[in-house]
Amino acid sequence: MRIEPIATKNILVIHGPNLNLLGTREPEIYGNMTLDEINRTLLKIATDAGAKLASFQSNSETELISRIHQAIEDKTDFIIINPAAYTHSSIALRDALAAVKLPFIEVHLSNIFARESFRQKSYFSDLALGVISGLGNKGYELALEYVLKMR
Ligand code: DQA
């Protein structure tokens, strides 16, 4: 009998513009946790589960698109993305995710559907495997938990 090696999951977490300011940016909406704390928590959860996790933040649409393209070369299996304000504006970022054809979960710290009308439209949700919005930093952890349990 041939025993197949268990493939290590390769997860990429992408954070869009202004999320580098988490912790000090409108904490009443986005919470007190810094991006570094969020990333370190996710890395620990993934590492403990035997998976690989890389995090990337950029304020530039170009860099975010290039990082998504790079996901093919670095053999990413799954993307967890908070496109931040680009959620509501970026067809280019949406097209990048459609092009690489990798499954992704869209995460928002705040509940975008309970906010201004311009935030209630997402260019990503119909392509996403699922959307978590309004559960603060826990949303990332729940998305990761799902990815880790998925076959
Ligand atoms: C956000 C919601 C967006 O509307 C906003 O532009 C952000 C963060 C969230 O995580 O709640 O920057 O994606």
Side-chain angles (χ1 to χ4, degrees), residues 12-45:
L12 174 62
V13 183
I14 297 183
H15 307 279
N18 301 307
L19 295 175
N20 54 312
L21 299 180
L22 285 181
T24 56
R25 175 193 179 200
E26 299 177 275
E28 66 288 357
I29 297 175
Y30 299 116
N32 296 306
M33 229 172 162
T34 65
L35 189 63
D36 191 47
E37 286 166 343
I38 290 174
N39 285 336
R40 277 193 278 122
T41 304
L42 297 178
L43 181 62
K44 180 165 179 1
I45 295 169

Side-chain angles (χ1 to χ4, degrees), residues 17 25 30 82 84-85 88 108-110 112 115 119:
R25 175 193 179 200
Y30 299 116
N82 182 348
H88 323 296
H108 299 283
L109 295 145
S110 64
I112 58 170
R115 298 184 63 191
R119 292 188 205 276

Side-chain angles (χ1 to χ4, degrees), residues 20-144:
N20 54 312
L21 299 180
L22 285 181
T24 56
R25 175 193 179 200
E26 299 177 275
E28 66 288 357
I29 297 175
Y30 299 116
N32 296 306
M33 229 172 162
T34 65
L35 189 63
D36 191 47
E37 286 166 343
I38 290 174
N39 285 336
R40 277 193 278 122
T41 304
L42 297 178
L43 181 62
K44 180 165 179 1
I45 295 169
T47 309
D48 288 352
K52 281 192 187 164
L53 182 136
S55 299
F56 180 79
Q57 189 278 330
S58 179
N59 296 321
S60 143
E61 192 177 25
T62 314
E63 283 180 10
L64 291 163
I65 292 168
S66 298
R67 185 63 189 89
I68 290 169
H69 292 174
Q70 198 191 311
I72 297 292
E73 285 115 64
D74 63 26
K75 302 207 177 344
T76 294
D77 300 305
F78 210 102
I79 295 176
I80 295 170
I81 184 167
N82 182 348
Y86 288 138
T87 306
H88 323 296
S89 68
S90 182
I91 298 172
L93 207 50
R94 171 198 167 93
D95 284 352
L97 285 162
V100 299
K101 287 195 171 71
L102 288 169
F104 72 92
I105 297 180
E106 175 184 349
V107 173
H108 299 283
L109 295 145
S110 64
N111 179 355
I112 58 170
F113 305 102
R115 298 184 63 191
E116 303 96 319
S117 57
F118 63 84
R119 292 188 205 276
Q120 293 173 23
K121 155 93 188 147
S122 166
Y123 280 105
F124 298 81
S125 303
D126 62 308
L127 293 183
L129 192 64
V131 181
I132 300 176
S133 185
L135 304 183
N137 59 285
K138 281 281 164 210
Y140 292 102
E141 293 173 35
L142 292 167
L144 178 58

